[in-house]
Amino acid sequence: MINNTYQIKVENCIICGSKERKIRHHFPANRYNHSVFITHSWDGGMDVELTIVACKSCGFLYQSPIFKDEWLSLLYPTSIISGKLSVADMDFGRADYFINLLKPYVSEIDNPFSVDLGTRYGALPMRMRENGFEATGIDFNPACVDASRSFGFEHIYNYSTQDLPKLLKLYNRDSINIITMIDVIEHLTKPEQDFTLISSLQRKGDIFMATTMFTDSLGYMLFGKEWYYIHAQHTLYFSKSNIKDFFAKYGYEIKETLYIPLYKSSTIVVQEALKYLKHKTEINSHSSKGEKKWFAKNRPHCFDLMTVIAVKK
Ligand SMILES: [Zn+2]
Protein backbone atom coordinates (compact mmCIF):
# COMPACT_ATOMS: atom_id res chain seq x y z
CA MET A 1 0.00 0.00 0.00
CA ILE A 2 1.06 3.58 -0.51
CA ASN A 3 2.32 5.61 2.42
CA ASN A 4 0.73 8.88 1.24
CA THR A 5 3.19 11.05 3.08
CA TYR A 6 6.32 9.68 1.48
CA GLN A 7 5.28 7.77 -1.63
CA ILE A 8 3.61 8.24 -5.00
CA LYS A 9 2.32 5.63 -7.43
CA VAL A 10 4.10 5.21 -10.78
CA GLU A 11 1.53 5.69 -13.55
CA ASN A 12 2.77 3.40 -16.30
CA CYS A 13 5.48 1.07 -17.55
CA ILE A 14 8.28 3.10 -19.17
CA ILE A 15 8.97 0.41 -21.77
CA CYS A 16 5.49 -0.35 -23.18
CA GLY A 17 3.25 2.27 -21.54
CA SER A 18 0.88 -0.27 -19.95
CA LYS A 19 -0.74 0.66 -16.63
CA GLU A 20 -1.32 -3.01 -15.74
CA ARG A 21 1.11 -4.51 -13.27
CA LYS A 22 1.29 -7.28 -10.71
CA ILE A 23 3.29 -7.42 -7.50
CA ARG A 24 6.61 -9.24 -7.88
CA HIS A 25 8.15 -8.54 -4.46
CA HIS A 26 6.57 -6.90 -1.47
CA PHE A 27 8.30 -6.00 1.80
CA PRO A 28 6.30 -4.76 4.79
CA ALA A 29 7.29 -1.59 6.64
CA ASN A 30 10.09 -2.17 9.15
CA ARG A 31 11.28 -5.24 7.29
CA TYR A 32 14.61 -4.26 8.79
CA ASN A 33 14.33 -3.31 12.45
CA HIS A 34 15.50 0.32 12.66
CA SER A 35 17.16 -0.21 16.02
CA VAL A 36 19.32 -3.01 14.57
CA PHE A 37 19.98 -1.90 10.99
CA ILE A 38 21.05 1.23 9.09
CA THR A 39 18.48 1.41 6.29
CA HIS A 40 18.52 4.80 4.55
CA SER A 41 18.72 3.38 1.01
CA TRP A 42 16.18 0.66 1.83
CA ASP A 43 13.32 2.76 3.25
CA GLY A 44 14.77 6.17 4.10
CA GLY A 45 14.83 5.01 7.74
CA MET A 46 11.04 5.48 7.74
CA ASP A 47 8.02 3.31 8.35
CA VAL A 48 7.33 2.57 4.65
CA GLU A 49 6.79 -0.55 2.56
CA LEU A 50 8.78 -1.46 -0.54
CA THR A 51 7.02 -2.94 -3.56
CA ILE A 52 8.53 -4.11 -6.86
CA VAL A 53 5.99 -4.74 -9.61
CA ALA A 54 6.15 -6.49 -12.99
CA CYS A 55 4.44 -4.97 -16.03
CA LYS A 56 1.69 -7.39 -17.09
CA SER A 57 2.23 -6.58 -20.73
CA CYS A 58 6.04 -6.63 -21.20
CA GLY A 59 7.38 -7.99 -17.89
CA PHE A 60 9.54 -4.94 -17.00
CA LEU A 61 10.27 -4.73 -13.25
CA TYR A 62 9.96 -1.41 -11.46
CA GLN A 63 9.27 0.05 -8.06
CA SER A 64 5.78 1.41 -7.41
CA PRO A 65 5.00 3.36 -5.32
CA ILE A 66 8.28 5.31 -5.20
CA PHE A 67 9.50 8.04 -2.85
CA LYS A 68 8.24 11.53 -3.69
CA ASP A 69 10.95 13.93 -4.84
CA GLU A 70 10.61 16.05 -1.70
CA TRP A 71 11.58 13.04 0.45
CA LEU A 72 14.52 11.76 -1.62
CA SER A 73 16.94 13.27 0.90
CA LEU A 74 15.88 10.47 3.27
CA LEU A 75 17.16 7.89 0.77
CA TYR A 76 20.26 9.96 -0.02
CA PRO A 77 21.39 11.65 3.20
CA THR A 78 24.18 14.21 2.75
CA SER A 79 25.56 13.41 6.21
CA ILE A 80 27.19 10.17 4.97
CA ILE A 81 29.32 11.97 2.36
CA SER A 82 32.89 12.56 3.44
CA GLY A 83 33.83 16.24 3.15
CA LYS A 84 37.51 15.54 2.62
CA LEU A 85 38.38 13.15 -0.18
CA SER A 86 41.56 11.21 -0.78
CA VAL A 87 42.68 9.38 -3.91
CA ALA A 88 41.31 6.18 -2.34
CA ASP A 89 37.79 7.66 -2.61
CA MET A 90 38.15 8.07 -6.38
CA ASP A 91 37.62 4.95 -8.45
CA PHE A 92 40.08 5.88 -11.19
CA GLY A 93 40.60 2.24 -12.19
CA ARG A 94 36.94 1.87 -13.08
CA ALA A 95 37.02 5.27 -14.83
CA ASP A 96 39.88 4.06 -17.06
CA TYR A 97 37.89 0.95 -17.95
CA PHE A 98 34.98 3.11 -19.18
CA ILE A 99 37.26 5.50 -21.08
CA ASN A 100 38.79 2.58 -22.99
CA LEU A 101 35.30 1.38 -23.93
CA LEU A 102 34.37 4.85 -25.22
CA LYS A 103 37.50 5.62 -27.22
CA PRO A 104 36.68 3.64 -30.41
CA TYR A 105 33.32 5.41 -30.63
CA VAL A 106 34.64 8.95 -30.37
CA SER A 107 37.91 8.80 -32.31
CA GLU A 108 36.42 11.01 -35.06
CA ILE A 109 35.21 13.76 -32.71
CA ASP A 110 37.57 16.63 -31.97
CA ASN A 111 37.53 17.79 -28.31
CA PRO A 112 34.40 15.80 -27.44
CA PHE A 113 32.11 17.34 -24.81
CA SER A 114 30.89 14.89 -22.18
CA VAL A 115 28.62 14.93 -19.16
CA ASP A 116 28.68 12.30 -16.44
CA LEU A 117 25.19 12.25 -14.89
CA GLY A 118 25.18 11.38 -11.18
CA THR A 119 28.96 11.69 -11.13
CA ARG A 120 29.37 11.42 -7.32
CA TYR A 121 32.93 12.79 -6.82
CA GLY A 122 33.68 13.23 -10.51
CA ALA A 123 36.36 10.54 -10.89
CA LEU A 124 35.24 9.70 -14.44
CA PRO A 125 35.21 13.27 -15.86
CA MET A 126 38.48 14.04 -14.05
CA ARG A 127 40.15 11.12 -15.77
CA MET A 128 38.46 11.90 -19.11
CA ARG A 129 40.01 15.39 -19.07
CA GLU A 130 43.45 13.74 -18.88
CA ASN A 131 42.43 11.84 -22.03
CA GLY A 132 41.49 14.85 -24.14
CA PHE A 133 37.77 15.11 -23.45
CA GLU A 134 36.07 18.35 -22.41
CA ALA A 135 34.48 16.45 -19.55
CA THR A 136 32.01 17.62 -16.91
CA GLY A 137 29.90 15.98 -14.23
CA ILE A 138 26.67 16.78 -12.44
CA ASP A 139 25.27 15.39 -9.19
CA PHE A 140 22.10 16.25 -7.31
CA ASN A 141 23.81 15.69 -3.95
CA PRO A 142 25.43 19.04 -2.99
CA ALA A 143 27.75 17.30 -0.50
CA CYS A 144 29.35 15.26 -3.33
CA VAL A 145 29.89 18.40 -5.40
CA ASP A 146 31.43 20.32 -2.48
CA ALA A 147 33.73 17.39 -1.65
CA SER A 148 34.88 17.08 -5.26
CA ARG A 149 35.54 20.81 -5.58
CA SER A 150 37.59 20.75 -2.37
CA PHE A 151 39.53 17.87 -3.91
CA GLY A 152 40.36 20.22 -6.79
CA PHE A 153 37.91 19.33 -9.56
CA GLU A 154 36.18 22.41 -10.99
CA HIS A 155 33.99 20.93 -13.69
CA ILE A 156 31.31 19.49 -11.43
CA TYR A 157 27.92 21.06 -10.71
CA ASN A 158 25.04 20.57 -8.31
CA TYR A 159 22.58 20.21 -11.20
CA SER A 160 19.80 17.79 -12.07
CA THR A 161 19.25 16.39 -15.58
CA GLN A 162 16.75 19.18 -16.24
CA ASP A 163 19.60 21.71 -15.78
CA LEU A 164 21.61 20.32 -18.73
CA PRO A 165 20.69 23.24 -21.06
CA LYS A 166 22.27 25.55 -18.45
CA LEU A 167 25.45 23.44 -18.49
CA LEU A 168 25.64 23.59 -22.31
CA LYS A 169 25.42 27.37 -22.18
CA LEU A 170 28.20 27.50 -19.59
CA TYR A 171 30.54 25.54 -21.88
CA ASN A 172 29.34 27.28 -25.04
CA ARG A 173 28.17 24.02 -26.61
CA ASP A 174 24.97 23.13 -28.43
CA SER A 175 25.01 19.35 -27.99
CA ILE A 176 26.50 16.65 -25.77
CA ASN A 177 28.80 14.22 -27.60
CA ILE A 178 28.97 11.72 -24.76
CA ILE A 179 26.65 11.09 -21.84
CA THR A 180 27.63 8.60 -19.17
CA MET A 181 25.47 7.24 -16.36
CA ILE A 182 27.41 4.88 -14.11
CA ASP A 183 25.15 3.05 -11.63
CA VAL A 184 22.59 5.84 -12.03
CA ILE A 185 19.83 4.94 -14.53
CA GLU A 186 18.27 2.51 -12.02
CA HIS A 187 17.76 5.42 -9.60
CA LEU A 188 15.72 7.71 -11.88
CA THR A 189 12.30 8.82 -10.62
CA LYS A 190 11.30 10.59 -13.86
CA PRO A 191 13.05 8.56 -16.58
CA GLU A 192 10.69 9.59 -19.38
CA GLN A 193 11.12 13.31 -18.69
CA ASP A 194 14.91 12.91 -18.35
CA PHE A 195 15.38 10.87 -21.52
CA THR A 196 13.17 13.16 -23.61
CA LEU A 197 15.47 16.06 -22.70
CA ILE A 198 18.71 14.07 -22.98
CA SER A 199 17.75 12.78 -26.41
CA SER A 200 17.04 16.33 -27.62
CA LEU A 201 20.57 17.38 -26.56
CA GLN A 202 22.38 14.65 -28.51
CA ARG A 203 22.88 14.49 -32.29
CA LYS A 204 23.20 11.59 -34.71
CA GLY A 205 26.32 9.59 -33.81
CA ASP A 206 26.56 10.88 -30.22
CA ILE A 207 27.14 8.30 -27.49
CA PHE A 208 25.27 7.25 -24.37
CA MET A 209 26.95 4.81 -22.00
CA ALA A 210 25.14 3.36 -18.98
CA THR A 211 26.03 0.79 -16.34
CA THR A 212 23.27 -0.87 -14.34
CA MET A 213 22.34 -4.19 -12.74
CA PHE A 214 20.36 -6.60 -14.92
CA THR A 215 17.55 -8.94 -13.93
CA ASP A 216 18.34 -11.77 -16.33
CA SER A 217 21.47 -12.37 -14.24
CA LEU A 218 22.59 -15.34 -12.18
CA GLY A 219 22.35 -13.31 -8.96
CA TYR A 220 18.69 -12.34 -9.45
CA MET A 221 17.77 -15.83 -10.66
CA LEU A 222 19.32 -17.42 -7.56
CA PHE A 223 18.44 -14.94 -4.84
CA GLY A 224 15.18 -13.31 -6.04
CA LYS A 225 13.70 -10.93 -3.49
CA GLU A 226 16.83 -10.98 -1.31
CA TRP A 227 19.02 -9.84 -4.25
CA TYR A 228 21.47 -7.13 -3.15
CA TYR A 229 20.22 -4.64 -5.75
CA ILE A 230 16.61 -4.48 -4.52
CA HIS A 231 16.00 -1.41 -2.37
CA ALA A 232 14.09 1.88 -2.47
CA GLN A 233 16.88 3.85 -4.18
CA HIS A 234 16.47 1.53 -7.17
CA THR A 235 13.32 2.37 -9.11
CA LEU A 236 14.05 0.64 -12.47
CA TYR A 237 15.19 -2.97 -12.95
CA PHE A 238 16.25 -3.54 -16.59
CA SER A 239 17.10 -6.78 -18.37
CA LYS A 240 19.64 -7.16 -21.19
CA SER A 241 16.81 -7.10 -23.71
CA ASN A 242 14.32 -4.53 -22.40
CA ILE A 243 16.99 -1.86 -21.91
CA LYS A 244 17.34 -2.00 -25.74
CA ASP A 245 13.63 -1.26 -26.10
CA PHE A 246 13.90 1.63 -23.64
CA PHE A 247 16.79 3.25 -25.50
CA ALA A 248 15.10 2.68 -28.87
CA LYS A 249 12.10 4.75 -27.69
CA TYR A 250 14.42 7.76 -27.40
CA GLY A 251 16.22 7.24 -30.72
CA TYR A 252 19.24 5.21 -29.61
CA GLU A 253 20.60 1.92 -30.81
CA ILE A 254 22.57 -0.17 -28.31
CA LYS A 255 25.75 -1.29 -30.07
CA GLU A 256 27.36 -3.24 -27.26
CA THR A 257 26.24 -4.86 -24.01
CA LEU A 258 29.15 -5.86 -21.80
CA TYR A 259 28.95 -8.03 -18.70
CA ILE A 260 31.07 -10.55 -16.85
CA PRO A 261 30.33 -14.02 -18.24
CA LEU A 262 28.14 -16.39 -16.26
CA TYR A 263 30.85 -18.95 -15.56
CA LYS A 264 32.82 -16.34 -13.57
CA SER A 265 29.76 -15.67 -11.41
CA SER A 266 29.65 -19.38 -10.63
CA THR A 267 32.99 -19.02 -8.78
CA ILE A 268 31.37 -16.84 -6.09
CA VAL A 269 28.02 -18.62 -5.81
CA VAL A 270 28.93 -20.58 -2.69
CA GLN A 271 30.15 -17.56 -0.71
CA GLU A 272 27.07 -15.58 -1.79
CA ALA A 273 24.73 -18.43 -0.87
CA LEU A 274 26.26 -18.44 2.62
CA LYS A 275 25.62 -14.69 2.86
CA TYR A 276 22.01 -15.34 1.82
CA LEU A 277 21.58 -17.80 4.70
CA LYS A 278 23.22 -15.44 7.19
CA HIS A 279 20.97 -12.61 6.02
CA LYS A 280 17.83 -14.75 6.44
CA THR A 281 18.88 -15.43 10.04
CA GLU A 282 19.85 -11.88 10.97
CA ILE A 283 16.65 -10.20 9.68
CA ASN A 284 14.79 -12.13 12.35
CA SER A 285 17.13 -10.86 15.03
CA HIS A 286 15.69 -8.02 17.09
CA SER A 287 18.60 -7.60 19.38
CA SER A 288 19.99 -4.06 19.33
CA LYS A 289 23.20 -4.98 21.13
CA GLY A 290 26.29 -3.35 19.70
CA GLU A 291 26.64 -1.14 16.63
CA LYS A 292 23.89 -0.92 14.04
CA LYS A 293 24.54 -3.01 10.94
CA TRP A 294 24.24 -2.00 7.29
CA PHE A 295 21.04 -3.78 6.15
CA ALA A 296 22.57 -5.03 2.88
CA LYS A 297 25.84 -6.35 4.32
CA ASN A 298 24.75 -9.93 3.69
CA ARG A 299 22.32 -9.44 0.81
CA PRO A 300 23.81 -11.58 -1.96
CA HIS A 301 24.67 -10.91 -5.61
CA CYS A 302 26.87 -12.30 -8.37
CA PHE A 303 28.50 -10.29 -11.17
CA ASP A 304 25.15 -8.78 -12.13
CA LEU A 305 26.14 -5.45 -13.73
CA MET A 306 26.01 -4.65 -17.45
CA THR A 307 27.41 -1.74 -19.41
CA VAL A 308 25.57 -0.67 -22.55
CA ILE A 309 26.96 1.61 -25.25
CA ALA A 310 24.26 3.27 -27.33
CA VAL A 311 24.54 5.50 -30.38
CA LYS A 312 22.02 8.24 -31.27
CA LYS A 313 20.38 7.52 -34.61
ZN1 LIG B 1 5.55 -2.87 -19.99
Side-chain angles (χ1 to χ4, degrees), residues 112-221:
F113 181 62
S114 72
V115 184
D116 187 32
L117 301 180
T119 194
R120 197 168 170 86
Y121 302 133
L124 180 57
M126 278 174 82
R127 202 62 143 197
M128 286 176 85
R129 284 196 163 254
E130 293 167 21
N131 282 270
F133 296 81
E134 186 167 31
T136 65
I138 65 173
D139 202 283
F140 88 136
N141 191 330
C144 290
V145 174
D146 289 347
S148 176
R149 285 182 171 261
S150 308
F151 187 73
F153 185 49
E154 293 165 32
H155 302 278
I156 181 168
Y157 302 87
N158 182 211
Y159 285 173
S160 74
T161 303
Q162 295 303 311
D163 296 318
L164 284 172
K166 214 156 73 179
L167 186 74
L168 282 166
K169 228 178 202 170
L170 212 57
Y171 284 84
N172 205 16
R173 295 278 191 157
D174 54 15
S175 63
I176 307 173
N177 302 115
I178 304 160
I179 291 183
T180 50
M181 266 192 170
I182 308 304
D183 308 330
V184 169
I185 193 170
E186 65 273 19
H187 294 251
L188 298 180
T189 57
K190 296 188 175 71
E192 291 165 311
Q193 184 184 308
D194 289 342
F195 270 77
T196 300
L197 177 65
I198 286 167
S199 174
S200 76
L201 301 175
Q202 292 207 287
R203 302 246 173 89
K204 187 174 167 26
D206 286 340
I207 306 299
F208 195 119
M209 184 171 75
T211 290
T212 187
M213 73 280 183
F214 60 103
T215 53
D216 40 356
S217 59
L218 187 63
Y220 182 59
M221 279 188 276

Side-chain angles (χ1 to χ4, degrees), residues 13-18 20 55-60 62:
C13 168
I14 58 161
I15 308 275
C16 75
S18 170
E20 302 289 314
C55 171
K56 274 193 183 174
S57 165
C58 75
F60 179 61
Y62 58 101

Side-chain angles (χ1 to χ4, degrees), residues 245-257:
D245 301 333
F246 179 70
F247 273 83
K249 276 179 73 170
Y250 297 94
Y252 293 88
E253 185 187 353
I254 291 185
K255 296 282 191 188
E256 271 190 83
T257 303

Side-chain angles (χ1 to χ4, degrees), residues 26 37 64 97 102 115 128 144 161 175 196 244 313:
H26 177 76
F37 295 99
S64 180
Y97 168 77
L102 285 169
V115 184
M128 286 176 85
C144 290
T161 303
S175 63
T196 300
K244 289 183 182 152
K313 287 196 286 191

